[in-house]
Amino acid sequence: FFETTIKHHHCATMALRMITEKAMGIVSKHYQRAVAAQLSQTGMRYEDIINEDEKEVAEALTLADPDTVLGRSRRLKRAIDLNFKRKNFVDYAPDVEQDTFQFEVYEDVKKIKARDQEYAFLNAHNK
């Protein structure tokens, strides 16, 4: 009896997880499109709006290619300028294809977070 109850509970949990993942996938696609539309108005990338005050992001930016950091800085300055002038990036460069979801730094951020988690796990016995 107890094993049967556990199996039913496990199946229900799996079904709920599948439904939740499906719903999150649908919602995330709509959110991604909305964010992309806003970012394309200023010529920014999604990666440009990641908080550089986070320790992992700051470290990834110091390790990144100088051209990547310069491009990020220029996109941020351009976005500020366009916002101040109440203009749209597409008005100035209508033929430019934007790579809104091109990631150059975020993979390093994920690796740094994984490294820090591993370091904390391996040193958990010292506490």
Side-chain angles (χ1 to χ4, degrees), residues 3 5-6 8 45 50-51 65 84 90 92 97 109 114 122 124:
E3 289 179 15
T5 305
I6 290 175
H8 288 300
R45 294 181 182 165
I50 296 173
N51 186 358
D65 182 9
F84 178 75
V90 181
Y92 291 101
E97 187 174 321
V109 172
L122 291 174

Side-chain angles (χ1 to χ4, degrees), residues 69-119:
V69 177
L70 181 62
R72 182 178 195 267
S73 175
R74 287 182 178 170
R75 286 189 298 275
L76 290 170
K77 288 177 183 178
R78 180 181 59 218
I80 292 168
D81 185 54
L82 288 171
N83 187 32
F84 178 75
K85 293 177 181 177
R86 298 185 190 279
K87 298 288 181 179
N88 194 324
F89 178 71
V90 181
D91 295 339
Y92 291 101
D95 298 332
V96 173
E97 187 174 321
Q98 298 181 42
D99 295 326
T100 306
F101 292 101
Q102 178 182 349
F103 296 104
E104 297 175 321
V105 177
Y106 197 68
E107 288 301 317
D108 291 336
V109 172
K110 290 195 295 191
K111 289 176 185 176
I112 291 167
K113 285 182 179 183
R115 180 204 63 200
D116 291 348
Q117 287 175 350
E118 181 180 5
Y119 183 77

Side-chain angles (χ1 to χ4, degrees), residues 21-32:
E21 288 175 0
K22 180 87 170 169
M24 289 300 290
I26 292 169
V27 170
S28 68
K29 292 283 186 204
H30 289 290
Y31 175 75
Q32 192 175 39

Side-chain angles (χ1 to χ4, degrees), residues 120 123-127:
N123 290 310
H125 69 281
N126 292 333
K127 293 182 180 182

